[in-house]
Amino acid sequence: MIDPRTDVSITSDGNLLFDKAVKDNVETVWHRHEAQQPQCGFCDMGLSCRICIMGPCRVDPFGQGPQTGVCGADADIIVARNLCRMIAAGAASHSDHGRDLVEVLEAVSKGEAPGYKIRSEEKLRRVAREYGIQTEGKDVLTVAGELADAMMEDYGMRRKSVTLVNRAPEKRRKVWEKAGITPRGIDRETSEMMHRTHMGVDNDWVSLLTQGLRNALSDGWGGSMIATEVSDILFGVPAPKPTMVNAGVLKKGQVNIVVHGHNPVVSEMVSKACISEEMLALAKAKGAAGINLVGVCCTGNELLMRRGIAMAGNHLMTELILSTGAVDMMIVDYQCIMPSIGKAAACYHTKMISTSDKARFPGMEHHEFHPDNAEEKAKTLVKAAIENFGNRKQVYIPVAPQEAVGGFSIETILGALGGTPAPLIDAIKAGKIRGAVGVVGCNNPKIKHDYGHVTLIKKLIENDILVVDTGCVSVASAKAGFKVPSAIEMAGPGLKEICGALGIPPVLHLGSCVDNVRILVLVSALADALGVDISDLPVAGSAPEWYSEKAVTIGVYCVASGITTHLGPMPPVTGSMNVVKLLTEGLNDVVGATFGVEPDPEKAAVFLIRVIEKKRKALGLDS
Ligand code: SF4
Ligand code: MSK
């Protein structure tokens, strides 16, 4: 039996809404996780294979049963293939999200996307120049069309490398060239990864994992980077804004619409419809004081970054938010949307809407969004949400919202520093800031909700380590109060002094999962300013509660970019000591960084602090 006080969440809204869900007979992710126990040990170690139909096969980790699958693949090959397929799936997800944005950019350039426009002409022209496009004297839509074309080429096989790898420091690019992992085309690397892992193709676990690195880099410096850059061009470059977080952002007297998923193409249009005079008048006519748009997961992060829209919760809160009975409509796009939530919503009056042709869910009405109809569709949905307001029964919003600041793009961070990373470097050199850690990723019912994130971040800032975060971590840290300027009181003396002088919190919200690329851009700027490689910097990464294939890909592109990365939950690799050793030790010789796995966030903090102090020493910063 699940005990909510000890098993579910460290947050009060999480625990109170779990109780409410239980009372209402709503099945949650924790119930289903419990029902799955014990989970398969072979799969947990990466030792099961169902790639072909001669199988499924399992290798016995104790050496008594079979040591190969029917085809003869041993533990090393099976584990490496499984991990590589996770990388391919993660890269495909982010990069397909990026492709959708490029298609909107193209439609805007042709005048075929009413409601969308170029919000940052400066960024459009800047990125276009990086693609070698001559921008002078050309009108904005022509440049948009040419950039969309050039980005589409990045997805293919005509280039030597994806364009934005040029943002990496020269030393890093040389590392990639030497290792043969410079990503060529975004789709090409994913497709080749799937080919190599077919039965009877690449049966060398080192060669497989090398392609895994290249595939992940095609996401980090390709598909995800394109997703972030085009989102900034279409919807604006984020700047710091006050916002609110936790389930308390839902409002009793207003029409509550929750957006969930990842792609801002849908949520931006919904946000526009929510502030239209017509919709506000309709809401008032139906007895609501207004329309309250809030987010969960990463599409919420996209809106928070650019519009200051409040966040109701992260991944494990998505079912619980429904149990407030206060959600009049939830609109989803894709990724991290549990197929269970339609069923959870059926216990209440909530209307559930899916919007993407590639993401359908049980218990949801499907209203497909395309660039040419998105503006109209958004209005139709908001209208339906308003109509549904009167159908509410009991509403339970058990907490008051927590204040936070979000919206730190690299442009804003550098702007706040006077246009160059020099002041940040000076603070690092002086030891006031010991280094920085990007804490990223999801929730996972294997770990008490938000415990890993909050415990780790608390320890890091206490030790004068600046934290930047994205994705579901960013909601956890905002709920814990780390994202208000007064949070410097929880930081060590050096970090407190620097953040206090800049008027920023010690934990900076950099955005959604694809926005992890902002971290790559920031560390590249720091490395260039110091004349070193990324792997020389006192920085590290961490995913304390990760669950998704996308998180594997992010971790791998961070390590391949030279950032040592901690993982909370163990990936399914322990069936091969060769693979484990390569990931945790051997990669150091190839890319100058490795993985560390530690489920206990207190111990993980010690690991990360050690990584940072070692880098400082090697750079001669404390001599
Ligand atoms: Fe079994 Fe080999 Fe087929 Fe995998 S690829 S299912 S190990 S026969
Ligand atoms: S939403 S990938 S649970 S961070 Fe990006 Fe959160 Fe992880 Fe999904």
Side-chain angles (χ1 to χ4, degrees), residues 228 440-441 470 512-521 554 557:
T228 290
V440 309
T470 61
S512 64
C513 296
V514 292
D515 289 338
N516 284 312
V517 302
R518 296 190 200 274
I519 299 174
L520 299 181
V521 174
I554 292 165
Y557 76 59

Side-chain angles (χ1 to χ4, degrees), residues 169 518-528 534 537 539 561 563:
R518 296 190 200 274
I519 299 174
L520 299 181
V521 174
L522 180 62
V523 292
S524 296
L526 291 174
D528 281 340
I534 296 172
L537 296 172
V539 300
S561 301
I563 303 170

Side-chain angles (χ1 to χ4, degrees), residues 166-377:
N166 289 327
R167 290 180 170 186
E170 205 186 330
K171 286 184 177 166
R172 183 58 17 190
R173 280 181 273 138
K174 290 220 166 100
V175 168
W176 293 338
E177 263 166 46
K178 193 169 162 225
I181 56 172
T182 305
R184 296 158 298 175
I186 297 163
D187 289 343
R188 176 181 186 164
E189 302 307 355
T190 296
S191 183
E192 184 171 318
M193 191 77 265
M194 293 306 286
H195 178 194
R196 285 188 189 220
T197 51
H198 187 281
M199 202 302 276
V201 185
D202 196 347
N203 287 296
D204 176 331
W205 58 273
V206 178
S207 158
L208 278 166
L209 291 171
T210 306
Q211 174 60 18
L213 297 182
R214 180 157 58 178
N215 192 184
L217 286 172
S218 79
D219 173 17
W221 298 85
S224 275
M225 204 166 271
I226 285 176
T228 290
E229 297 305 58
V230 178
S231 295
D232 283 0
I233 289 166
L234 289 173
F235 307 121
V237 178
K241 282 174 193 63
T243 187
M244 294 283 188
V245 288
N246 79 26
V249 302
L250 294 168
K251 293 187 180 148
K252 222 170 188 168
Q254 297 200 18
V255 177
N256 290 310
I257 301 176
V258 179
V259 283
H260 179 8
H262 281 76
N263 197 322
V265 165
V266 172
S267 49
E268 278 282 344
M269 275 304 126
V270 175
S271 114
K272 205 171 150 194
C274 285
I275 51 171
S276 79
E277 292 293 332
E278 183 195 348
M279 293 301 141
L280 289 169
L282 185 63
K284 291 220 166 94
K286 296 286 174 188
I291 306 170
N292 181 38
L293 177 69
V294 301
V296 291
C297 284
C298 280
T299 209
N301 277 318
E302 297 274 354
L303 289 179
L304 189 161
M305 287 287 282
R306 298 190 178 88
R307 319 255 164 269
I309 299 282
M311 280 293 268
N314 48 12
H315 178 50
L316 287 192
M317 289 296 294
T318 52
E319 286 169 319
L320 302 187
I321 291 302
L322 296 171
S323 71
T324 58
V327 180
D328 300 301
M329 180 176 281
M330 183 179 269
I331 302 173
V332 309
D333 51 86
Y334 44 55
Q335 298 170 15
C336 303
I337 299 147
M338 287 189 266
S340 62
I341 55 175
K343 197 171 152 198
C347 301
Y348 307 95
H349 78 299
T350 309
K351 264 189 181 302
M352 300 295 284
I353 309 291
S354 57
T355 57
S356 166
D357 57 344
K358 49 194 151 202
R360 316 269 181 143
F361 302 86
M364 292 199 195
E365 260 178 56
H366 190 65
H367 294 257
E368 209 158 294
F369 273 58
H370 294 285
D372 61 340
N373 72 5
E375 195 173 31
E376 268 320 297
K377 279 265 170 206

Side-chain angles (χ1 to χ4, degrees), residues 313-622:
N314 48 12
H315 178 50
L316 287 192
M317 289 296 294
T318 52
E319 286 169 319
L320 302 187
I321 291 302
L322 296 171
S323 71
T324 58
V327 180
D328 300 301
M329 180 176 281
M330 183 179 269
I331 302 173
V332 309
D333 51 86
Y334 44 55
Q335 298 170 15
C336 303
I337 299 147
M338 287 189 266
S340 62
I341 55 175
K343 197 171 152 198
C347 301
Y348 307 95
H349 78 299
T350 309
K351 264 189 181 302
M352 300 295 284
I353 309 291
S354 57
T355 57
S356 166
D357 57 344
K358 49 194 151 202
R360 316 269 181 143
F361 302 86
M364 292 199 195
E365 260 178 56
H366 190 65
H367 294 257
E368 209 158 294
F369 273 58
H370 294 285
D372 61 340
N373 72 5
E375 195 173 31
E376 268 320 297
K377 279 265 170 206
K379 277 193 189 160
T380 312
L381 292 183
V382 173
K383 216 169 166 181
I386 296 169
E387 300 289 348
N388 198 27
F389 175 72
N391 295 328
R392 278 190 199 172
K393 292 177 190 93
Q394 243 188 355
V395 168
Y396 175 62
I397 303 171
V399 292
Q402 162 70 42
E403 288 180 0
V405 179
F408 290 89
S409 57
I410 302 312
E411 286 88 339
T412 330
I413 295 174
L414 293 181
L417 296 170
T420 94
L424 184 56
I425 289 171
D426 290 345
I428 292 173
K429 279 185 178 164
K432 291 187 175 168
I433 296 180
R434 307 298 297 169
V437 175
V439 188
V440 309
C442 329
N443 299 127
N444 185 328
K446 292 179 176 175
I447 295 181
K448 194 171 186 176
H449 172 239
D450 287 353
Y451 170 71
H453 302 144
V454 172
T455 312
L456 178 72
I457 291 174
K458 187 166 176 288
K459 281 272 161 221
L460 293 175
I461 62 172
E462 273 171 14
N463 283 280
D464 288 324
I465 292 170
L466 178 71
V467 170
V468 294
D469 64 11
T470 61
C472 289
V473 179
S474 62
V475 185
S477 69
K479 278 167 76 169
F482 294 142
K483 287 213 176 93
V484 282
S486 60
I488 56 172
E489 296 306 328
M490 293 184 261
L495 186 61
K496 180 178 171 178
E497 182 191 323
I498 301 294
C499 292
L502 292 168
I504 57 171
V507 181
L508 303 180
H509 181 209
L510 257 57
S512 64
C513 296
V514 292
D515 289 338
N516 284 312
V517 302
R518 296 190 200 274
I519 299 174
L520 299 181
V521 174
L522 180 62
V523 292
S524 296
L526 291 174
D528 281 340
L530 278 164
V532 300
D533 192 0
I534 296 172
S535 56
D536 299 320
L537 296 172
V539 300
S542 171
E545 301 180 30
W546 73 278
Y547 91 90
S548 82
E549 290 161 318
K550 292 178 292 167
V552 175
T553 318
I554 292 165
V556 175
Y557 76 59
C558 281
V559 169
S561 301
I563 303 170
T564 287
T565 298
H566 153 254
L567 301 175
M570 173 66 84
V573 294
T574 51
S576 163
M577 279 325 284
N578 280 328
V579 172
V580 169
K581 271 199 173 150
L582 183 80
L583 297 177
T584 56
E585 293 170 23
L587 280 181
N588 215 16
D589 298 332
V590 187
V591 292
T594 56
F595 282 100
V597 182
E598 176 51 70
D600 179 343
E602 304 255 4
K603 290 184 187 155
V606 174
F607 166 77
L608 291 164
I609 292 166
R610 280 197 190 133
V611 169
I612 281 171
E613 293 303 326
K614 205 169 148 196
K615 300 277 180 191
R616 292 186 62 87
K617 205 166 167 207
L619 277 174
L621 292 182
D622 297 316

